[in-house]
Amino acid sequence: MATSCVSPLTGFAFWETNLAYEGESIYNYLQVKNLSDRTILSTNVLFGVQSVTMKDKGLTGMYYDTALAAPALADNANSALILGMGTGTYARQLKQYYPKMNITGVEIDQKITDLAGEYFDEPADIPVTTYDGRA
């Protein structure tokens, strides 16, 4: 009973103390958490991670790190198209480990792209188109 009265006043995740942003877009419920070693974006979940920026610019310990092997395994991997850009986790890693790679992102949710620039240091030299990548 008490949480239903308090929650609208303090946000959905009223128990969180480290939220930099909480809101909704047309597609998602969004949370940006600012932790001591990383900033993370969660979408439509309370505990999952959609995107992450490490404050020391290292590896994330998540599936993004494994995906870094793809350009090394491909012949002449000089460009990447990222469908589902999120806040640019994979794009930042590609820029760090393959600095000459030409990268383009597609993200369906403009609000996530906006958060990427505000909270996640998304590289300004990577164009991001707001579009449904499935199309």
Side-chain angles (χ1 to χ4, degrees):
M1 176 73 166
T3 59
S4 64
C5 294
V6 174
S7 182
L9 302 175
T10 60
F12 179 75
F14 59 88
W15 61 89
E16 293 282 0
T17 58
N18 54 1
L19 288 182
Y21 176 85
E22 179 183 28
E24 292 187 50
S25 71
I26 190 169
Y27 298 101
N28 295 291
Y29 163 71
L30 305 165
Q31 282 185 348
V32 175
K33 293 180 186 177
N34 189 10
L35 305 175
S36 61
D37 65 336
R38 66 189 71 207
T39 302
I40 64 172
L41 172 70
S42 294
T43 59
N44 297 325
V45 295
L46 296 178
F47 306 107
V49 174
Q50 194 278 343
S51 294
V52 60
T53 295
M54 302 303 295
K55 293 184 178 174
D56 69 1
K57 306 294 182 206
L59 296 174
T60 66
M62 298 177 67
Y63 65 91
Y64 307 104
D65 302 347
T66 305
L68 285 172
L73 297 173
D75 292 333
N76 300 319
N78 58 7
S79 65
L81 174 64
I82 301 173
L83 302 178
M85 181 72 159
T87 64
T89 302
Y90 189 52
R92 277 188 302 281
Q93 288 185 317
L94 286 174
K95 276 292 197 191
Q96 180 177 350
Y97 295 102
Y98 304 95
K100 295 181 181 181
M101 185 172 284
N102 183 14
I103 304 166
T104 301
V106 178
E107 173 57 50
I108 193 172
D109 195 334
Q110 181 62 50
K111 185 65 177 178
I112 290 177
T113 301
D114 295 342
L115 292 172
E118 186 172 348
Y119 295 102
F120 291 89
D121 300 324
E122 183 172 64
D125 61 340
I126 297 176
V128 180
T129 300
T130 302
Y131 195 72
D132 186 345
R134 296 171 295 185

